[in-house]
Amino acid sequence: MRLKKILYVVLGCIGAALGALGAVLPLLPAFPFLLLAAFCFARSSEKLNRWFTGTKLYKNNLESYVKGKGMTRKTKIKIMVTVTLLMSVGFLMMDQVPVGRIVLACVWIFHILYFILGVRTIKTDAR
């Protein structure tokens, strides 16, 4: 049990660090890494979870989504563009693997559909 908590703390710290980088670097998405950090910290330690949910990084990037309110249009577009660019690289590299391309294309389509239809769009000031 203790090893599991340590693993969650380590993964949470990695997610938080990559999320912080993603908040300032245009190509790296912050959202999935911050979501990973929130998940891991919630399962590892109440103290770490309170700290993380109190940070400006969490409040600016993840809080409205976690509370079920949705995401801003800017955030949704940033995530979709980043994932599309990264998946395009994989798609181009799989020129000899048609099944891989089909799987990647299906994942991309479902990703786009989820963000367009499944995640509510909120106004910037509704946080």
Side-chain angles (χ1 to χ4, degrees):
M1 200 63 169
R2 182 161 162 72
L3 181 62
K4 194 174 183 181
K5 282 191 174 196
I6 291 171
L7 181 63
Y8 278 132
V9 169
V10 170
L11 284 174
C13 289
I14 291 170
L18 289 173
L21 282 174
V24 293
L25 296 175
L27 189 61
L28 187 66
F31 182 78
F33 295 116
L34 295 175
L35 199 56
L36 171 70
F39 176 83
C40 291
F41 287 150
R43 278 156 183 70
S44 65
S45 159
E46 190 176 319
K47 186 176 179 179
L48 274 174
N49 188 45
R50 269 195 317 266
W51 166 78
F52 182 68
T53 56
T55 63
K56 189 175 181 180
L57 187 63
Y58 173 85
K59 290 180 183 203
N60 288 344
N61 293 286
L62 202 60
E63 185 175 49
S64 63
Y65 178 76
V66 172
K67 288 184 176 179
K69 294 179 184 175
M71 296 176 146
T72 63
R73 183 179 314 275
K74 181 181 175 183
T75 302
K76 287 171 69 170
I77 290 171
K78 184 178 176 183
I79 290 170
M80 289 189 288
V81 166
T82 302
V83 169
T84 298
L85 289 173
L86 292 173
M87 290 183 91
S88 297
V89 171
F91 189 83
L92 293 173
M93 294 177 73
M94 288 190 186
D95 61 336
Q96 301 295 318
V97 188
V99 172
R101 280 185 156 192
I102 291 169
V103 169
L104 206 53
C106 289
V107 169
W108 177 78
I109 289 168
F110 286 118
H111 172 267
I112 297 298
L113 287 174
Y114 173 74
F115 275 92
I116 291 173
L117 304 173
V119 178
R120 213 173 101 206
T121 304
I122 58 172
K123 290 183 173 34
T124 306
D125 59 354
R127 286 185 183 189

